Amino acid sequence: MGNDNLPVVSKETGRAMAESSVARAREAYERFAEAGEMALNAFEASAAQSFEGWRAVMGSSRETAHHLADGHAAGARTLREQWDDAGARLYNAVEDNAVHTMAAMREIGHRMLVASDTNVRAGLDFADRLAAAADAREVVALNIAFLQEQARRLTDQMVDLHQTASRLAREAAARTETP
């Protein structure tokens, strides 16, 4: 028994509405993806500026120590040289660690964004195919194919992220072991 209060929509009209909705969703996602990329770039630029500020502070502290030590005798000169050596080693270690940490974060973040983008685009492509399906059998076949494809894609993405994180952790551990 049907509901006589619902309007009758032709198959072609329903398909056109579905295709239009998918197209709008795709356009909205493109704007979202572009905004996400802009936000990531802004974060990286901000982190780089913070690091440059830290570098300037370290440099000015070193200069202050030089000026103080220059006014004293030979013992102060030796102390200054030791201070310079220790400060340079610390600064180089922190800078090296920060550079590698940012590179690792960028690589993992990039891989996650690519995986997310791939999955969203696959979902939108699937919605396009569903909107164009001729009958219920084709809808079921499309669903089965999509679920199998998505399961494979998610597995591949998780393996890639795991391998990437493991490699980056091994590289970080190797850097800390090297004198």
Side-chain angles (χ1 to χ4, degrees), residues 52-99:
E52 287 303 317
W54 181 82
R55 181 181 291 175
V57 167
M58 288 298 289
S60 68
S61 297
R62 211 179 304 172
E63 287 300 314
T64 301
H66 283 275
H67 290 304
L68 289 173
D70 281 342
H72 296 286
R77 182 161 296 144
T78 302
L79 180 63
R80 185 182 92 188
E81 289 169 0
Q82 291 172 348
W83 166 266
D84 281 347
D85 290 343
R89 284 192 308 274
L90 175 64
Y91 176 79
N92 290 337
V94 169
E95 183 175 30
D96 185 55
N97 190 35
V99 166

Side-chain angles (χ1 to χ4, degrees), residues 111-150:
R111 287 179 184 271
M112 290 180 72
L113 287 173
V114 167
S116 295
D117 183 66
T118 300
N119 295 336
V120 169
R121 290 178 191 282
L124 291 169
D125 291 344
F126 173 64
D128 276 336
R129 289 190 305 271
L130 276 182
D135 57 25
R137 279 193 185 138
E138 188 176 353
V139 168
V140 170
L142 287 170
N143 272 305
I144 291 169
F146 177 74
L147 290 174
Q148 289 171 341
E149 179 184 315
Q150 190 66 6

Side-chain angles (χ1 to χ4, degrees), residues 33-51 102 105-106 113:
E34 185 177 316
E37 190 172 332
M38 290 169 50
L40 181 62
N41 291 338
F43 169 75
E44 287 181 356
S46 174
Q49 288 175 344
S50 295
F51 189 69
M102 287 299 292
M105 288 173 47
R106 188 177 303 118
L113 287 173

